[in-house]
């Protein structure tokens, strides 16, 4: 059913209306975007090409890196274009598409982090059954499930938002199309949309978050009562520390944004918080996982050395 709207495009007001800051912000966010793509791309390349990393933990890490690249690509290229343009417009269906992919990839990442926590729980608490429980078929099913749930969760919001009546202002006080700024512009009743946002999106955010906390609670209890070696305890906790840092960086701003009610004051803060989970988290994930993970650092060095040798010392057949 076509949407009943007189608005054909929206204007993204972005992070600031100070023209002098636009070139500086363009350079800053362009550098951040390149770091996101390069960092997560390197992890994805290493996980795929390095046989030693063909395990459940790194399979899910590869999924996370892929999500981070796509997640930032949904918002940052449009934001960069708007920094250099005086007409910061996005079409109605372009806005709905951006909303869809943002929530699709964001909710998928939230659920994937819970799956990664469960993987660590099985690896530490049930090591003898780890390969049986987390076999390749189960890992593939778990990854596919969170991607599918994330897609249909976003599809629900996309359809419900596209059916709203937009007849007034088309100025979005944000740097991308999100549900809460669009609900502020809708002319009709948005109670159902707000309920779906608070209930469904709240469940998808809080559910995996509590499952993640539960997994780490059992891990800590298991380690303190079953592990008598301080070195083994430190090694196990160090393995989980990087994942827990990513969880905090993603869930804290997401819960703050989507669980609290919308208000005029909160809308002014939303773009700042959105930068935390859409820009800062994807750029920090590669740093957290590589700096705290010896296996990833070692594999990355081996791949880089191998590529440099091929580039600097081509084989005789190519001469």
């Amino acid at each position: 059913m076509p949407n009943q709207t007189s608005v054909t495009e929206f204007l993204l007001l972005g992070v600031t209306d100070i023209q002098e800051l636009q070139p500086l912000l363009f350079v800053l966010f362009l550098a951040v975007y390149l770091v996101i793509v390069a960092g997560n791309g390197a992890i994805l390349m290493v996980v795929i090409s390095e046989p030693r990393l063909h395990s459940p933990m790194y399979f899910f890490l590869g999924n996370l890196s892929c999500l981070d690249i796509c997640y930032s690509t949904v918002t940052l290229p449009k934001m960069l274009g708007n920094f250099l343009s005086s007409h910061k417009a996005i079409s109605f269906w372009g806005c709905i598409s951006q909303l869809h992919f943002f929530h699709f990839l964001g909710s998928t990442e939230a659920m994937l982090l819970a799956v990664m926590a469960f993987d660590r729980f099985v690896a530490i608490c049930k090591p003898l059954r780890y390969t049986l429980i987390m076999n390749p078929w189960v890992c593939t099913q778990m990854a596919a499930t969170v991607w599918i749930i994330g897609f249909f969760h976003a599809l629900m919001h996309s359809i419900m938002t596209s059916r709203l009546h937009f007849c007034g202002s088309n100025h979005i006080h944000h740097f991308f199309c999100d549900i809460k700024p669009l609900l502020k512009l809708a002319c009709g009743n948005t109670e159902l949309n707000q309920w779906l946002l608070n209930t469904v999106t709240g469940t998808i955010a809080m559910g995996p978050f509590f499952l993640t906390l539960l997994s780490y609670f059992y891990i800590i209890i298991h380690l303190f009562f079953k592990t008598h070696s301080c070195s083994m305890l430190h090694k196990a906790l160090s393995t989980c520390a990087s994942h827990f840092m990513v969880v905090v960086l993603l869930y804290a701003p997401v819960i703050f944004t989507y669980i609290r009610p919308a208000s005029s004051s909160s809308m002014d803060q939303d773009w700042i918080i959105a930068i935390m989970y859409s820009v800062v988290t994807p750029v920090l994930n590669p740093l957290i996982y590589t700096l705290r993970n010896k296996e990833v650092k070692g594999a990355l060095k081996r791949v880089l050395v191998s590529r440099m040798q091929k580039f600097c010392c081509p084989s005789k057949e190519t001469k």
Side-chain angles (χ1 to χ4, degrees), residues 68-86:
D68 280 337
I69 293 173
C70 298
Y71 194 39
S72 57
T73 301
V74 170
T75 56
L76 281 179
K78 182 61 180 175
M79 178 200 244
L80 292 171
N82 287 343
F83 282 139
L84 303 179
S85 174
S86 58

Side-chain angles (χ1 to χ4, degrees), residues 56-114:
M57 176 180 172
Y58 297 107
F59 169 73
F60 294 127
L61 177 58
N63 274 263
L64 181 65
S65 295
C66 179
L67 278 169
D68 280 337
I69 293 173
C70 298
Y71 194 39
S72 57
T73 301
V74 170
T75 56
L76 281 179
K78 182 61 180 175
M79 178 200 244
L80 292 171
N82 287 343
F83 282 139
L84 303 179
S85 174
S86 58
H87 187 58
K88 309 176 189 299
I90 184 171
S91 68
F92 178 86
W93 290 111
C95 186
I96 297 299
S97 298
Q98 189 180 54
L99 179 154
H100 171 80
F101 283 102
F102 182 80
H103 282 270
F104 165 36
L105 298 167
S107 57
T108 301
E109 181 162 341
M111 292 181 286
L112 181 66
L113 290 176

Side-chain angles (χ1 to χ4, degrees), residues 113 212 216 238-253 281 284-285 287-289 291-292:
L113 290 176
T212 302
Y216 281 112
S238 178
T239 302
C240 297
S242 57
H243 179 223
F244 190 72
M245 289 172 66
V246 173
V247 168
V248 172
L249 285 170
L250 177 69
Y251 282 116
T281 301
L284 288 180
N285 280 353
L287 297 175
I288 291 172
Y289 278 108
L291 292 177
R292 296 188 59 85

Side-chain angles (χ1 to χ4, degrees), residues 109-128:
E109 181 162 341
M111 292 181 286
L112 181 66
L113 290 176
V115 171
M116 293 175 73
F118 175 75
D119 171 69
R120 293 299 83 208
F121 163 74
V122 177
I124 294 172
C125 300
K126 301 181 182 297
L128 299 179

Side-chain angles (χ1 to χ4, degrees), residues 6 9 14 18 29 47 71 76 116 151 157 159 180 204 216 224 229 238 249 262 265 273-274 280 286 299 306 309:
S6 57
E9 67 177 17
I18 303 175
F29 282 100
V47 168
Y71 194 39
L76 281 179
M116 293 175 73
F151 177 83
H157 283 304
I159 293 174
K180 291 178 83 172
I204 285 182
Y216 281 112
F224 275 108
S229 170
S238 178
L249 285 170
S265 60
I273 302 168
V280 176
S306 176
Q309 288 176 344

